[in-house]
Amino acid sequence: DLPLPQLVSDDSVREIRSNDDQNIVSRDDQENISPNIEQITADDIAQEDVLTAGEVLEVFGKRLYEERGSAPEVLPDIAIQWEEVLLKGIPQDVLKEMIIKHPPPKNCTRFEPPKLNPVVKAIMPEQVIVRDDRIVKRQEKLSAALSAMAKVLSAIVSTKAIPEWKIFAENLSDASKLIADLQYDEAIIRRSLIVANVDISMRETLKESEIDEFLFGNKLEDAVKNVKTMQAASLDLKKATSRKNVSKNSKAPQPQRQLRTQRNSTAATSGAKKYSSSRKQSQHKSKEKNRTTSNSRRRS
């Protein structure tokens, strides 16, 4: 047998076998270290493709209607009492005691519901007054609530004895501002209901007034008097201007249509007079003829 030709050198064969051995060891090591290397690599790639929360928010924007979360639970006894009030309300005798117990601070008299101005109350229908009184009752509750919160808030800020005083003060401050804003809303509702029943000429005056201890301010009567004085002066000025225009128009030449109308009227009057005169003459002649005929008959 003839020997086969040597196509590859011995050194090359040894190098190939060495590389194969290294590859085999490398695969064995990989399998021992991480049997699921291919799966993990796929998961890593998938995670890199997922958008982050920030990227989603950037693309789609914020939610149109965010879900409102819940605050931490309060003490069960407090929760039970609030539930009772929300379901049944506060008894009238207890409510009266609470309102008396919490008057407004000396430097916060605006806590009180503003009084209806006497000049406005005198012209309001009975049903409007009754409706306004109902809103005042709601404002009295808000006033007492503000006063009670003001006591606690002032004590926390002045002493600073409580470690969490800043948190308590901040929450009480927010709650008191919300109640104060609700008190303002109730006053605006009262004003709108009253203004709807006022004469149109006075509505703007009432709308421009500012709320103080009275619903339309303590200077409303003076404002009403000023408006009436201006209205009277405007009316007198209008009358004087009208008289002046009439006097000027009387001297001015009459329009052509008016002249025609006057001529037609004059002609009609003249024709009527002529017709009446001729009719009277014919009647007179007829009477004279009848008399003559009657006298001739008597003679015969």
Side-chain angles (χ1 to χ4, degrees):
D1 295 331
L2 296 174
L4 293 173
Q6 189 174 359
L7 300 177
V8 180
S9 64
D10 294 337
D11 294 336
S12 298
V13 172
R14 283 194 297 269
E15 185 179 356
I16 292 172
R17 287 177 179 176
S18 176
N19 291 336
D20 290 342
D21 293 340
Q22 289 179 0
N23 292 335
I24 293 172
V25 173
S26 177
R27 285 195 296 270
D28 291 341
D29 292 340
Q30 290 177 359
E31 290 177 359
N32 293 331
I33 295 172
S34 179
N36 299 322
I37 186 65
E38 296 181 357
Q39 183 65 30
I40 291 177
T41 304
D43 291 341
D44 292 339
I45 295 173
Q47 289 178 0
E48 291 178 358
D49 292 340
V50 174
L51 294 175
T52 63
E55 291 173 335
V56 173
L57 186 62
E58 183 180 354
V59 173
F60 295 99
K62 294 183 179 180
R63 288 185 55 180
L64 299 178
Y65 302 97
E66 293 286 347
E67 293 183 1
R68 188 177 182 183
S70 299
E73 293 184 357
V74 298
L75 295 175
D77 292 339
I78 299 177
I80 290 174
Q81 292 194 20
W82 281 341
E83 288 290 338
E84 289 178 350
V85 174
L86 292 171
L87 292 174
K88 300 179 181 179
I90 301 176
Q92 290 300 316
D93 55 342
V94 178
L95 179 62
K96 186 176 180 180
E97 293 177 1
M98 294 175 67
I99 292 176
I100 296 174
K101 182 181 177 181
H102 301 291
K106 291 182 179 179
N107 57 346
C108 294
T109 56
R110 295 295 175 268
F111 281 6
E112 290 277 31
K115 295 176 287 186
L116 183 59
N117 300 66
V119 67
V120 176
K121 188 174 182 179
I123 61 172
M124 286 295 107
E126 182 65 23
Q127 63 271 20
V128 176
I129 301 299
V130 172
R131 182 172 52 187
D132 186 71
D133 289 339
R134 292 175 182 171
I135 302 177
V136 170
K137 296 298 182 183
R138 296 203 298 265
Q139 288 189 296
E140 289 177 350
K141 300 177 187 179
L142 297 173
S143 175
L146 278 172
S147 301
M149 298 177 70
K151 294 177 185 178
V152 181
L153 186 58
S154 297
I156 292 175
V157 175
S158 60
T159 59
K160 298 182 182 179
I162 305 174
E164 298 84 0
W165 69 273
K166 288 186 177 181
I167 299 175
F168 296 158
E170 181 181 352
N171 291 327
L172 283 173
S173 177
D174 290 344
S176 62
K177 288 177 182 177
L178 290 170
I179 294 178
D181 189 62
L182 184 58
Q183 182 80 317
Y184 172 77
D185 290 342
E186 294 288 347
I188 295 299
I189 292 174
R190 290 176 60 195
R191 281 167 62 99
S192 63
L193 295 174
I194 295 294
V195 170
N197 292 272
V198 177
D199 186 78
I200 297 178
S201 60
M202 292 294 175
R203 289 182 182 177
E204 287 300 322
T205 303
L206 267 66
K207 290 179 180 179
E208 293 175 359
S209 63
E210 294 183 357
I211 302 174
D212 48 31
E213 59 179 321
F214 288 99
L215 192 59
F216 295 98
N218 54 15
K219 297 181 180 179
L220 178 63
E221 294 185 8
D222 295 337
V224 172
K225 290 179 181 178
N226 292 335
V227 171
K228 288 185 176 180
T229 302
M230 292 178 60
Q231 289 177 347
S234 300
L235 185 61
D236 292 340
L237 181 62
K238 185 176 181 181
K239 288 181 179 179
T241 305
S242 300
R243 294 194 192 101
K244 192 174 181 180
N245 291 335
V246 169
S247 61
K248 286 183 178 181
N249 291 334
S250 61
K251 296 179 182 180
Q254 296 178 348
Q256 191 70 18
R257 182 180 296 177
Q258 187 174 1
L259 291 175
R260 290 177 182 175
T261 303
Q262 289 180 353
R263 289 173 183 173
N264 293 337
S265 177
T266 303
T269 303
S270 177
K273 288 181 178 179
K274 289 181 181 179
Y275 174 76
S276 176
S277 176
S278 62
R279 185 176 181 183
K280 287 181 180 179
Q281 290 178 0
S282 62
Q283 289 178 353
H284 181 71
K285 289 180 180 180
S286 177
K287 288 181 180 180
E288 290 293 330
K289 186 176 181 180
N290 291 337
R291 287 178 183 176
T292 305
T293 305
S294 176
N295 291 334
S296 62
R297 288 180 179 177
R298 288 176 182 176
R299 291 174 183 174
S300 59

